[in-house]
């Protein structure tokens, strides 16, 4: 049995019953988006929604202080508390 494929105009999409939208491939690439990006949406008026990528502050700063303390220094400090 073959799947019924509906032809749509390039760049067009629909909203599902779960309020989900597939971003058309061309718009996705042009916006520089990547799988796993976090987006924030806000209404700009009737029929207009803006989605912007939001930065993951933890991922941006994780590891910034690597190399400040020698290996094992934190464990030595913890041992002093006992």
């Amino acid at each position: 049995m073959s799947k019924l494929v509906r032809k749509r105009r390039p760049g067009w999409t629909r909203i599902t019953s779960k309020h989900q939208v597939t971003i058309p491939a061309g718009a996705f690439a042009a916006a520089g988006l990547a799988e796993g990006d976090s987006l924030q949406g806000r209404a700009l008026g009737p029929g207009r929604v803006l989605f912007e990528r939001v930065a993951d502050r933890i991922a941006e700063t994780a590891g910034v202080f690597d190399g400040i303390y020698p290996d094992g220094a934190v464990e030595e400090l913890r041992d002093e508390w006992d």
Side-chain angles (χ1 to χ4, degrees):
M1 211 184 281
S2 67
K3 265 188 172 178
L4 175 64
V5 177
R6 295 183 182 164
K7 293 189 179 197
R8 293 206 176 111
R9 294 180 214 168
W12 288 51
T13 191
R14 292 182 189 263
I15 302 171
T16 70
S17 61
K18 293 183 179 183
H19 302 178
Q20 296 171 332
V21 176
T22 298
I23 302 170
F28 186 87
L33 296 173
E35 186 177 316
D37 283 351
S38 293
L39 302 176
Q40 179 181 29
R42 66 173 185 254
L44 296 181
R48 294 180 55 107
V49 177
L50 173 69
F51 286 96
E52 292 182 295
R53 181 178 28 232
V54 291
D56 182 353
R57 299 293 181 209
I58 293 173
E60 284 181 353
T61 57
V64 134
F65 297 113
D66 284 352
I68 291 179
Y69 293 101
D71 288 343
V74 173
E75 287 75 16
E76 284 182 32
L77 288 172
R78 286 184 180 148
D79 289 343
E80 290 178 8
W81 298 342
D82 291 332

